[in-house]
């Protein structure tokens, strides 16, 4: 049903929308209630042409805006800044209205067009659609935008993605069949990955010898990565062009081929799977034409000026022709698979958006001769399809992490098929710009970006990858102990734990990139544990982190004293984690407190089915108990959150279980960041005994409510009974109970 005039909720955002000629507004029904689709008629136009509509200024009912913008062609950056940029695309708009309602706007991207928002004047916002297919008749095709409204940010983001899928479904029958995507499971789930990237930067050197030395450091510390990712610097390249499908001799460092490195990693250090990095063009500036033209058709491409890439506007380079890109990657993956490689990381994906022209290379000698033009949209589709086909053939799948898609946060890569209802499994997508250990001011924004972006990307058929980190202070290119080098803030602030704790709340790869010999086991051992079988287990969430309406606070990233960024994670077996990060600039401090509304983000269902919940602060060790009937208003007494620069707190939320003699709650492994990820169940009371099962070693803690002397419950851990001894002088009160470590 098309609506006229503009519905009040939509008009509250864009009061001038009613004056836009030709648009149609459709109110959606279940499962996308409180959602609208806005359709803009596209005129006749050729591939690459852009059509724009000025939506006017945001209305006076809008209180706060977060725009998620492709400031670089390959990454999404959340920002509070207004006005909107005029030269880069905003992909998602999140709005808090003065009446407390939350809204989200998402322009669709299809095989016909790519949608986005841009600033059209100082105050106005425009929507634009760039054609990937010609529109031969005016009004035959509509550019579309989904809008969702609701009370909670996380729910609204989920609804706007669902609305986009419903809008883009080809028939009413398929609309009824739009279903949520599956669990965020990958080949990396609950394991640790070692990546060579930051690990082997100067002064270390990118060699196989140093990579093996890093693996040896982990082993010496009792940690065994499950996966080994060989990042940039292993390929045979020159002048940023790939020369062959072999490896750089300097990287091999005496080994015969890549297969020897893979074999050593598996046999000597227990690595189970090895992956390699490459760009979507082979290498950053494509292929060396003289080395590949005899075997594959090539095209010469020209890039535009969209911000991001190092190369200037008009830069030209050579890549395989779309007709041959399938064979190119089939050959490449056949070789690396023969060496024992079983996954890949594909970088620079969105650089294909930069291309403005491609022409077939007919010959290079005696002078270069170029043939007919190749349609850029066809090239983009062919390249992603070629990598997926090669991975499916040689790795067994292109999903679930067999391919990590990186620098690919373009709607052409992540929205078209996914929002349209792709039925395949989830793929792993890098969720933010890089981790920069050498840039002290990057760490806070890195946390903010990953949390905000993950709320969006996890609603697609994607698993957000929060990127690698180091467990130790940054090692400068000049080396340690360089007396002439000014100390960096990264030497002072504990950025390692700042990042490690966030990774424990993510469902994507947990990736470490430590310099050989520098691993801080105290940091890593809070992120991983050892299973009964002796394997290293990453104690991480089973679904991506999210935040609340409190994120609509522009002061979060400013200096001074104020609130924390809230980061929530639901546990697989009940309860969850409340995370509080100080992302305030400079030496800003956090003075905040846990709110009942925070608790309800992860434990609303638990409060409906148990006597109450227990809160346990990892930083202060303070305990609070919330009875089910009191889960409203203000937490009393307060549980304060006080954080200095680069500090965070994680508060465990555990449901209370009742036994015959005492109320108990399983707090999980309290020497880990994600305490509840160490449990294989939430625990249960059977025949008067508390039964607990754990994934790994660690300090297992339970909370005991008020009890009579001699009435402590029996506890079994993995089927074996353990003795529970409450310390007479321990932190036990009538209201807050006592935390007892029952196993290590």
């Amino acid at each position: 049903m098309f609506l006229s005039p503009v519905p009040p909720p939509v008009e509250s955002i864009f009061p001038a929308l009613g004056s836009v000629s030709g648009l149609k507004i459709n109110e959606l029904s279940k499962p996308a209630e409180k959602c609208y689709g806005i359709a803009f008629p596209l005129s006749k136009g050729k591939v690459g042409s852009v059509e724009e509509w000025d939506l006017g200024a945001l209305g006076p009912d809008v209180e706060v805006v977060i725009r998620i913008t492709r400031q670089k062609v390959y990454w999404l950056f959340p920002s509070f800044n207004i006005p909107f940029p005029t030269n880069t695309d905003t992909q998602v708009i999140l709005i808090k209205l003065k009446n407390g309602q939350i809204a989200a706007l998402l322009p669709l991207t299809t095989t016909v067009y790519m949608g986005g928002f841009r600033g059209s004047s100082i105050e106005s916002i425009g929507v634009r659609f760039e054609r990937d297919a010609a529109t031969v008749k005016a009004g035959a095709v509509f550019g579309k935008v989904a809008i969702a409204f609701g009370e909670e940010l996380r729910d609204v983001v989920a609804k706007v993605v669902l609305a986009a899928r419903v809008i883009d479904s080809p028939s009413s029958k398929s609309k009824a069949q739009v279903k949520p995507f599956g669990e965020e499971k990958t080949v990396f789930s609950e394991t640790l990955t070692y990546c060579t990237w930051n690990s082997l930067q100067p002064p270390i050197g990118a060699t196989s010898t140093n990579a093996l030395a890093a693996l040896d450091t982990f082993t010496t510390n009792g940690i065994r990565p499950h996966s080994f990712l060989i990042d940039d610097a292993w390929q045979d390249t020159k002048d940023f062009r790939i020369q062959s499908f072999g490896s750089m001799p300097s990287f091999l460092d005496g080994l015969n081929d890549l297969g020897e490195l893979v074999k050593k990693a598996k046999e000597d250090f227990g690595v189970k799977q090895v992956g390699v990095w490459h760009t979507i063009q082979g290498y950053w500036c494509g292929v060396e034409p003289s080395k590949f033209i005899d075997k594959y058709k090539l095209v010469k491409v020209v890039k535009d000026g969209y911000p991001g890439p190092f190369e200037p506007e008009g830069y030209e380079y050579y890549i395989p022709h779309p007709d041959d890109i399938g064979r190119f990657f089939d050959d490449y993956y056949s070789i690396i698979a023969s060496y024992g490689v079983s996954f890949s990381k594909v970088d620079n994906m969105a650089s294909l958006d930069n291309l403005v022209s491609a022409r077939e290379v007919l010959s290079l000698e005696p002078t270069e001769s170029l043939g007919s033009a190749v349609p850029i949209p066809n090239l983009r589709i062919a390249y992603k399809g070629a990598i997926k086909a090669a991975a499916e053939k040689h790795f067994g799948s292109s999903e679930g992490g067999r391919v990590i898609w990186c620098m690919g946060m373009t709607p052409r890569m992540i929205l078209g098929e996914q929002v349209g209802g792709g039925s395949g499994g989830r793929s792993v997508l890098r969720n933010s710009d890089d981790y920069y250990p050498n840039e002290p001011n990057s760490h806070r924004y890195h946390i903010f970006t990953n949390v905000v972006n993950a709320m969006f990307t996890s609603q697609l058929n994607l698993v957000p990858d929060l990127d690698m980190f180091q467990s130790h202070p940054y090692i400068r290119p000049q080396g340690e102990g360089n007396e002439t080098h000014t100390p960096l803030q990264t030497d002072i602030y504990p950025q390692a734990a700042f990042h490690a704790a966030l990774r424990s709340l993510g469902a994507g790869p947990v990736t470490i990139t430590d310099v050989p010999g520098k691993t801080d086991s105290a940091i890593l051992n809070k992120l991983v544990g050892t299973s009964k079988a002796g394997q290293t287990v990453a104690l991480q969430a089973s679904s991506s982190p999210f935040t609340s309406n409190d994120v609509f606070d522009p002061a979060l990233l400013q200096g001074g004293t104020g609130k924390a960024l809230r980061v929530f994670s639901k546990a697989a077996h009940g309860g969850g984690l409340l995370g509080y990060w100080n992302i305030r600039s400079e030496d800003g401090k956090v003075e905040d407190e846990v709110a009942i509304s925070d608790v309800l983000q992860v434990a609303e269902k638990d409060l409906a089915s148990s006597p109450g919940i227990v809160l346990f602060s990892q930083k202060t060790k303070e305990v609070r108990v919330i009875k089910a009937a009191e889960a409203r208003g203000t937490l009393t007494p307060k549980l304060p959150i006080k954080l200095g620069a680069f500090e965070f707190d994680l508060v465990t939320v555990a449901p209370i279980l009742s036994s015959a003699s005492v109320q108990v709650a399983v707090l999980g492994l309290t020497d880990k960041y994600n305490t509840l990820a160490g449990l294989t169940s939430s625990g249960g009371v059977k025949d008067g005994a508390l039964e607990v099962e754990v994934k790994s070693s660690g300090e297992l803690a339970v909370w005991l409510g008020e009890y009579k002397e001699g009435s402590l419950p029996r506890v079994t851990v993995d089927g074996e009974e353990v003795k529970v001894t409450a310390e007479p002088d321990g932190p036990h009160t009538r209201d807050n109970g006592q935390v007892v470590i029952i196993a290590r």
Side-chain angles (χ1 to χ4, degrees):
M1 177 181 68
F2 294 112
L3 304 177
S4 181
V6 177
V10 179
E11 189 176 36
S12 68
I13 298 174
F14 289 115
L17 197 61
S19 63
V20 177
S21 176
L23 67 79
K24 297 180 179 180
I25 301 180
N26 183 26
E27 183 173 8
L28 307 182
S29 56
K30 289 185 177 181
E33 62 271 22
K34 294 187 179 180
C35 296
Y36 300 86
I38 305 180
F40 300 84
L42 299 184
S43 60
K44 182 179 179 181
K46 62 182 181 179
V47 172
S49 61
V50 175
E51 202 152 346
E52 299 183 78
W53 281 264
D54 191 335
L55 306 180
L58 294 170
D61 293 335
V62 172
E63 182 176 353
V64 182
V65 175
I66 297 176
R67 58 174 172 83
I68 304 180
T69 302
R70 264 204 308 161
Q71 291 171 207
K72 298 178 182 178
V73 70
Y74 20 65
W75 298 124
L76 291 175
F77 296 85
S79 174
F80 294 102
N81 294 337
I82 295 177
F84 281 38
T86 59
N87 64 331
T88 56
D89 297 332
T90 292
Q91 301 301 155
V92 184
I93 301 176
L94 306 175
I95 292 174
K96 181 181 179 183
L97 296 165
K98 291 179 180 178
N99 63 6
Q101 286 283 295
I102 306 299
L105 292 82
L106 175 65
L108 272 63
T109 290
T110 70
T111 56
V112 178
Y113 60 80
M114 178 181 72
F117 297 108
R118 290 193 182 186
S120 59
S121 68
I122 293 178
E123 294 185 351
S124 291
I125 296 172
V127 62
R128 69 196 306 270
F129 301 96
E130 180 180 336
R131 291 174 178 81
D132 283 342
T135 50
V136 297
K137 182 180 178 181
V141 176
F142 286 81
K144 298 174 182 177
V145 174
I147 305 182
F149 293 87
E151 297 180 355
E152 290 289 340
L153 176 61
R154 187 192 188 203
D155 296 338
V156 173
V157 173
K159 282 175 63 175
V160 80
V161 172
L162 176 62
R165 295 178 67 197
V166 168
I167 291 168
D168 204 34
S169 296
S171 69
S172 59
K173 180 180 179 181
S174 62
K175 290 178 182 179
Q177 295 174 342
V178 171
K179 297 178 181 179
F181 297 114
E183 293 182 324
E184 296 182 63
K185 291 291 185 182
T186 74
V187 297
F188 306 105
S189 293
E190 298 185 347
T191 66
L192 183 67
T193 298
Y194 162 61
C195 176
T196 61
W197 177 238
N198 295 106
S199 172
L200 304 186
Q201 293 295 314
I204 309 307
T207 69
S208 62
T209 302
N210 288 332
L212 292 172
L215 288 172
D216 184 62
T217 299
F218 295 128
T219 301
T220 301
N221 283 279
I223 297 167
R224 290 185 175 270
H226 178 272
S227 303
F228 172 30
L229 174 55
I230 305 168
D231 213 298
D232 190 5
W234 73 273
Q235 293 169 288
D236 180 16
T237 64
K238 182 180 179 181
D239 297 329
F240 295 99
R241 296 174 177 175
I242 189 168
Q243 305 292 307
S244 74
F245 291 151
S247 303
M248 188 75 79
S250 60
F251 176 80
L252 292 177
D253 200 20
L255 298 181
N256 290 319
D257 55 39
L258 191 68
E260 284 195 45
L261 175 58
V262 173
K263 184 177 180 181
K264 284 179 176 289
K266 291 181 177 181
E267 293 183 355
D268 296 349
F269 301 105
V271 169
K272 303 302 181 185
Q273 58 182 11
V274 178
V276 296
W277 172 101
H278 64 82
T279 74
I280 199 166
Q281 305 96 331
Y283 202 61
W284 294 109
C285 294
V287 303
E288 184 65 56
S290 62
K291 301 291 181 67
F292 288 91
I293 195 168
D294 290 340
K295 191 169 183 180
Y296 308 101
K297 292 169 60 178
L298 303 180
V299 291
K300 189 174 187 179
V301 297
V302 180
K303 70 172 292 295
D304 68 9
Y306 197 105
F310 175 79
E311 299 80 21
E313 183 176 1
Y315 183 81
E316 300 176 325
Y317 59 101
Y318 303 87
I319 61 177
H321 193 289
D323 291 349
D324 271 4
I325 192 61
R327 192 160 56 85
F328 177 89
F329 277 117
D330 182 40
D331 291 345
Y332 204 176
Y333 277 41
S334 175
I335 292 171
I336 60 177
S338 72
Y339 290 142
V341 170
S342 57
F343 71 95
S344 63
K345 175 182 174 182
V346 181
D347 220 332
N348 208 29
M349 289 177 61
S351 63
L352 299 183
D353 274 20
N354 278 121
L355 302 183
V356 292
S357 68
R359 292 183 63 187
E360 182 177 353
V361 180
L362 300 178
S363 65
L364 296 171
E365 300 292 345
T367 58
E368 182 178 85
S369 175
L370 301 179
S372 59
V374 173
I376 299 299
N378 295 5
L379 183 150
R380 295 182 183 121
I381 294 169
Y383 265 65
K384 185 176 180 181
I387 290 171
K388 292 185 71 172
E392 286 160 8
K393 179 178 178 180
H394 299 289
F395 300 159
S397 175
S398 64
E399 298 168 344
R402 288 299 173 192
V403 177
I404 299 173
W405 303 104
C406 187
M407 295 175 72
M409 302 187 84
T410 161
R412 287 191 174 103
M413 294 288 184
I414 67 174
L415 287 186
E417 176 185 351
Q418 285 83 347
V419 168
S423 59
R426 289 180 181 256
S427 295
V428 173
L429 174 81
R430 265 285 305 282
N431 191 56
S432 71
D433 197 354
D434 290 3
Y435 161 74
Y436 294 108
N438 59 316
E439 296 184 11
N441 290 328
S442 70
H443 302 299
R444 303 172 180 91
Y445 186 68
H446 188 87
I447 300 292
F448 177 75
T449 298
N450 269 302
V451 172
V452 175
N453 283 353
M455 280 203 308
F456 169 56
T457 54
S458 65
Q459 297 301 324
L460 310 175
N461 63 338
L462 302 169
V463 179
D465 177 351
L466 309 186
D467 201 13
M468 64 193 85
F469 74 99
Q470 292 181 323
S471 73
H472 55 76
Y474 170 59
I475 306 296
R476 310 179 194 92
Q478 295 88 348
E480 294 180 288
N482 190 304
E483 300 301 329
T484 63
H485 196 284
T486 303
L488 300 175
Q489 285 180 284
T490 41
D491 300 328
I492 303 169
Y493 291 135
Q495 56 91 11
F498 200 65
H499 287 282
L502 183 72
R503 275 45 172 195
S504 77
L505 303 187
V510 177
T511 307
I512 190 77
T513 184
D514 281 356
V515 169
K518 299 301 178 183
T519 292
D520 186 340
S521 59
I523 296 291
L524 272 190
N525 284 332
K526 288 179 69 65
L527 182 59
V528 303
T530 303
S531 70
K532 294 178 188 175
Q535 300 296 315
T536 296
V537 180
L539 300 175
Q540 64 176 133
S542 58
S543 59
S544 289
F546 59 99
T547 188
S548 67
N549 298 358
D550 291 291
V551 78
F552 287 103
D553 177 5
L556 284 175
L557 290 163
Q558 298 173 8
T561 300
K563 290 191 172 184
L565 172 69
R566 283 155 163 75
V567 187
F568 303 128
S569 176
K570 290 188 176 182
H573 308 291
L577 273 291
L578 310 178
Y580 300 88
W581 263 260
N582 179 4
I583 61 170
R584 309 186 75 81
S585 62
E586 299 176 345
D587 290 321
K589 297 180 181 180
V590 163
E591 291 186 4
D592 205 340
E593 62 186 77
V594 176
I596 294 289
S597 58
D598 298 344
V599 177
L600 295 177
Q601 293 283 342
V602 302
E604 188 169 11
K605 290 183 179 179
D606 298 298
L607 281 165
S609 59
S610 69
I613 56 172
V614 176
L615 308 181
F616 175 72
S617 164
Q618 288 191 29
K619 189 173 189 291
T620 66
K621 311 304 179 187
E622 290 189 64
V623 175
R624 296 290 185 273
V625 179
I626 302 176
K627 297 178 182 179
E630 301 171 352
R632 63 182 68 87
T634 304
L635 181 62
T636 306
K638 295 180 179 180
L639 182 53
I641 302 293
K642 295 186 177 182
L643 305 171
F646 283 84
E647 288 188 341
F648 62 92
D649 193 7
L650 290 169
V651 177
T652 301
V653 180
I656 293 174
L657 309 171
S658 294
S659 73
S661 57
V662 63
Q663 289 187 331
V664 297
V666 181
L667 301 180
L669 304 181
T670 51
D671 59 337
K672 309 298 182 183
Y673 295 121
N674 194 328
T675 56
L676 299 180
L679 304 177
T680 56
S681 70
S682 61
V685 176
K686 183 178 180 181
D687 298 328
L690 174 64
E691 297 180 345
V692 183
E693 294 183 355
V694 297
K695 294 176 185 174
S696 80
S697 57
E699 292 187 348
L700 177 62
V702 298
W703 169 86
L704 304 176
E706 186 177 6
Y707 59 88
K708 296 179 181 179
E709 188 174 348
S711 63
L712 291 175
R714 291 185 302 110
V715 178
T716 63
V717 179
D718 294 341
E720 296 183 8
E721 187 166 341
V722 296
K723 186 176 182 180
V724 178
T725 303
E727 300 175 11
D729 298 325
H732 183 283
T733 70
R734 180 179 181 85
D735 293 326
N736 290 331
Q738 182 175 13
V739 175
V740 179
I741 306 297
I742 61 173
R744 285 182 170 85

PDB file of all heavy atoms in Angstrom, residues 19 76 108 128 325 430 444 575:
ATOM      1  N   SER A  19       7.617  17.084  -0.661  1.00  0.00           N
ATOM      2  CA  SER A  19       7.766  17.906  -1.862  1.00  0.00           C
ATOM      3  C   SER A  19       8.613  17.233  -2.938  1.00  0.00           C
ATOM      4  O   SER A  19       8.781  17.793  -4.026  1.00  0.00           O
ATOM      5  CB  SER A  19       8.404  19.252  -1.486  1.00  0.00           C
ATOM      6  OG  SER A  19       9.708  19.058  -0.966  1.00  0.00           O
ATOM      7  N   LEU A  76      33.800   1.190   6.644  1.00  0.00           N
ATOM      8  CA  LEU A  76      32.714   1.983   7.209  1.00  0.00           C
ATOM      9  C   LEU A  76      33.167   2.593   8.530  1.00  0.00           C
ATOM     10  O   LEU A  76      33.727   1.898   9.386  1.00  0.00           O
ATOM     11  CB  LEU A  76      31.472   1.115   7.433  1.00  0.00           C
ATOM     12  CG  LEU A  76      30.737   0.621   6.183  1.00  0.00           C
ATOM     13  CD1 LEU A  76      29.602  -0.319   6.580  1.00  0.00           C
ATOM     14  CD2 LEU A  76      30.210   1.785   5.353  1.00  0.00           C
ATOM     15  N   LEU A 108      19.037   0.678  -0.369  1.00  0.00           N
ATOM     16  CA  LEU A 108      19.280  -0.646  -0.933  1.00  0.00           C
ATOM     17  C   LEU A 108      20.345  -0.598  -2.021  1.00  0.00           C
ATOM     18  O   LEU A 108      20.568   0.440  -2.653  1.00  0.00           O
ATOM     19  CB  LEU A 108      17.983  -1.232  -1.509  1.00  0.00           C
ATOM     20  CG  LEU A 108      17.113  -2.022  -0.523  1.00  0.00           C
ATOM     21  CD1 LEU A 108      16.601  -1.144   0.599  1.00  0.00           C
ATOM     22  CD2 LEU A 108      15.966  -2.704  -1.254  1.00  0.00           C
ATOM     23  N   ARG A 128      21.327   8.992  -3.318  1.00  0.00           N
ATOM     24  CA  ARG A 128      21.826   8.839  -4.682  1.00  0.00           C
ATOM     25  C   ARG A 128      21.878   7.362  -5.052  1.00  0.00           C
ATOM     26  O   ARG A 128      22.075   6.494  -4.193  1.00  0.00           O
ATOM     27  CB  ARG A 128      23.216   9.483  -4.824  1.00  0.00           C
ATOM     28  CG  ARG A 128      24.309   8.747  -4.076  1.00  0.00           C
ATOM     29  CD  ARG A 128      25.568   9.573  -3.898  1.00  0.00           C
ATOM     30  NE  ARG A 128      26.115  10.106  -5.114  1.00  0.00           N
ATOM     31  CZ  ARG A 128      27.010   9.478  -5.875  1.00  0.00           C
ATOM     32  NH1 ARG A 128      27.415   8.253  -5.561  1.00  0.00           N
ATOM     33  NH2 ARG A 128      27.500  10.064  -6.953  1.00  0.00           N
ATOM     34  N   ILE A 325      39.301 -14.594 -15.091  1.00  0.00           N
ATOM     35  CA  ILE A 325      39.583 -14.501 -13.662  1.00  0.00           C
ATOM     36  C   ILE A 325      39.219 -15.797 -12.933  1.00  0.00           C
ATOM     37  O   ILE A 325      39.859 -16.164 -11.946  1.00  0.00           O
ATOM     38  CB  ILE A 325      38.862 -13.285 -13.034  1.00  0.00           C
ATOM     39  CG1 ILE A 325      39.380 -13.024 -11.623  1.00  0.00           C
ATOM     40  CG2 ILE A 325      37.352 -13.474 -13.032  1.00  0.00           C
ATOM     41  CD1 ILE A 325      40.851 -12.702 -11.539  1.00  0.00           C
ATOM     42  N   ARG A 430      35.913  -8.569   7.621  1.00  0.00           N
ATOM     43  CA  ARG A 430      36.597  -7.605   8.481  1.00  0.00           C
ATOM     44  C   ARG A 430      35.676  -6.421   8.721  1.00  0.00           C
ATOM     45  O   ARG A 430      35.132  -5.838   7.803  1.00  0.00           O
ATOM     46  CB  ARG A 430      37.906  -7.158   7.837  1.00  0.00           C
ATOM     47  CG  ARG A 430      39.134  -7.947   8.320  1.00  0.00           C
ATOM     48  CD  ARG A 430      39.594  -7.551   9.717  1.00  0.00           C
ATOM     49  NE  ARG A 430      39.819  -6.121   9.754  1.00  0.00           N
ATOM     50  CZ  ARG A 430      40.890  -5.513   9.272  1.00  0.00           C
ATOM     51  NH1 ARG A 430      41.850  -6.217   8.706  1.00  0.00           N
ATOM     52  NH2 ARG A 430      41.010  -4.206   9.352  1.00  0.00           N
ATOM     53  N   ARG A 444      40.877   3.790  20.876  1.00  0.00           N
ATOM     54  CA  ARG A 444      39.530   4.051  21.388  1.00  0.00           C
ATOM     55  C   ARG A 444      38.504   4.009  20.249  1.00  0.00           C
ATOM     56  O   ARG A 444      37.434   3.406  20.378  1.00  0.00           O
ATOM     57  CB  ARG A 444      39.491   5.419  22.074  1.00  0.00           C
ATOM     58  CG  ARG A 444      40.492   5.594  23.219  1.00  0.00           C
ATOM     59  CD  ARG A 444      40.480   7.050  23.676  1.00  0.00           C
ATOM     60  NE  ARG A 444      41.400   7.330  24.759  1.00  0.00           N
ATOM     61  CZ  ARG A 444      42.653   7.733  24.611  1.00  0.00           C
ATOM     62  NH1 ARG A 444      43.160   7.874  23.397  1.00  0.00           N
ATOM     63  NH2 ARG A 444      43.408   7.992  25.656  1.00  0.00           N
ATOM     64  N   GLY A 575      22.211 -15.491  30.837  1.00  0.00           N
ATOM     65  CA  GLY A 575      23.020 -14.407  31.364  1.00  0.00           C
ATOM     66  C   GLY A 575      23.838 -13.748  30.266  1.00  0.00           C
ATOM     67  O   GLY A 575      23.518 -13.818  29.082  1.00  0.00           O
TER      68      GLY A 575
END
